[in-house]
């Protein structure tokens, strides 16, 4: 059964790697962006993806945007800690080298990935801590998905179907954080990583 975050959870020694997953449109990207902006002590893994950049996304910051052959060669050379096809479309993966380097430096490391990726990390790195970002309720999740307006109707349906399956996976995780407000969720996550707001 999943622990909901309590003082005791937050005070447990931080794991070298923390994995943040959760249903589509729950706001993982927004919470990650808040972590990037407010907690520079935390190293946020930069995923490789075959999807095209959205406006405002910077190569090497938000993602490494790679071609299909480049992605395949990262897999073939054993350079992916995990990877998955997300929403039945594009490939996303976590390059292994930078994660291992930051762990060796003692930096708190955060991976923001999908559920399939989280399961792979659990196999290869069981010492990681797995955090489920949950919506306050289903209607809020649907509102966020529709409100974002970056996907067409077919894509939205596909993502909602994925979200239902992903919500059911909460019990596989060590800790749940409810994304009621982005800053509060980011603070709770940073506290889990052993980092406190310096401001
Ligand atoms: P988006 O295309 O909206 O940026 O991301 C779509 C989904 O891909 C999100 O659920 C996100 O968590 C997931 N994702 C991003 N990077 C990775 C990764 O490196 N590995 C896996 N497995 N999923 C990822």
């Amino acid at each position: 059964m999943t622990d909901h975050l309590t003082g005791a959870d937050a005070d447990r020694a931080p794991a070298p790697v923390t994995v943040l997953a959760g249903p589509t449109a729950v706001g993982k990207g927004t919470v990650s962006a808040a972590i990037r902006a407010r907690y520079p002590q935390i190293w946020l893994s930069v995923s490789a993806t075959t999807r095209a950049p959205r406006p405002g996304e910077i190569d090497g910051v938000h993602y490494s945007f790679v071609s299909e052959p480049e992605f395949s060669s990262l897999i073939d050379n054993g350079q992916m800690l995990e990877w998955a096809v997300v929403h039945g479309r594009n490939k996303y993966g976590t390059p292994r080298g930078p994660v291992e380097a930051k762990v060796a430096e003692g930096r708190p490391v955060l991976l923001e990935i999908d559920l399939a990726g989280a399961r792979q990390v659990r196999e290869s790195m069981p010492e990681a801590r797995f955090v489920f970002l949950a919506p306050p309720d289903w209607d809020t999740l649907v509102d966020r998905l529709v409100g974002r307006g970056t996907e067409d109707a077919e894509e939205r349906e596909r993502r909602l179907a994925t979200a239902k399956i992903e919500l059911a996976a909460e019990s596989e995780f060590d800790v749940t954080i409810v994304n009621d407000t982005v800053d509060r969720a980011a603070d709770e996550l940073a506290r889990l990583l052993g980092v406190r707001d310096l401001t």
Side-chain angles (χ1 to χ4, degrees):
M1 185 172 150
T2 302
D3 293 340
H4 283 266
L5 187 62
T6 64
D9 290 315
D11 293 340
R12 225 188 273 158
V17 170
T18 300
V19 175
L20 180 68
T24 187
V26 72
K28 297 189 296 283
T30 320
V31 171
S32 302
I35 291 281
R36 189 186 285 115
R38 295 182 36 222
Y39 294 99
Q41 312 93 310
I42 296 172
W43 184 75
L44 199 54
S45 166
V46 181
S47 299
T49 182
T50 58
R51 102 157 148 66
R54 295 194 186 116
E57 286 183 332
I58 301 163
D59 189 31
V61 175
H62 300 100
Y63 284 104
S64 291
F65 296 99
V66 300
S67 64
E68 282 282 347
E70 283 167 336
F71 199 98
S72 298
S73 88
L74 286 168
I75 297 168
D76 294 346
N77 296 329
Q79 291 175 52
M80 285 302 201
L81 180 61
E82 60 74 33
W83 70 275
V85 176
V86 180
H87 307 306
R89 287 228 165 140
N90 297 299
K91 292 175 186 154
Y92 297 78
T94 305
R96 182 192 298 277
V99 170
E100 290 177 349
K102 298 298 170 185
V103 168
E105 282 173 25
R107 278 280 287 283
V109 169
L110 180 63
L111 312 184
E112 185 255 288
I113 60 179
D114 87 325
L115 182 60
R119 287 181 174 136
Q120 291 170 49
V121 178
R122 193 183 272 296
E123 289 298 309
S124 61
M125 211 182 252
E127 68 279 17
R129 181 181 280 168
F130 294 83
V131 179
F132 190 83
L133 191 67
D137 50 58
W138 173 253
D139 288 347
T140 307
L141 187 64
V142 174
D143 285 349
R144 284 181 189 167
L145 189 56
V146 174
R148 192 161 69 176
T150 48
E151 291 85 26
D152 61 22
E154 191 192 332
E155 179 66 13
R156 274 202 302 276
E157 283 309 310
R158 204 196 322 265
R159 289 188 175 207
L160 275 178
T162 306
K164 276 195 182 135
I165 295 165
E166 289 180 336
L167 268 181
E170 181 182 347
S171 61
E172 296 173 29
F173 284 72
D174 301 317
V175 179
T176 292
I177 293 178
V178 176
N179 189 18
D180 41 13
T181 70
V182 172
D183 281 342
R184 200 207 57 75
D187 288 344
E188 202 170 317
L189 182 58
R191 202 155 63 96
L192 262 185
L193 279 115
V195 173
R196 287 179 196 268
D197 199 346
L198 302 176
T199 57

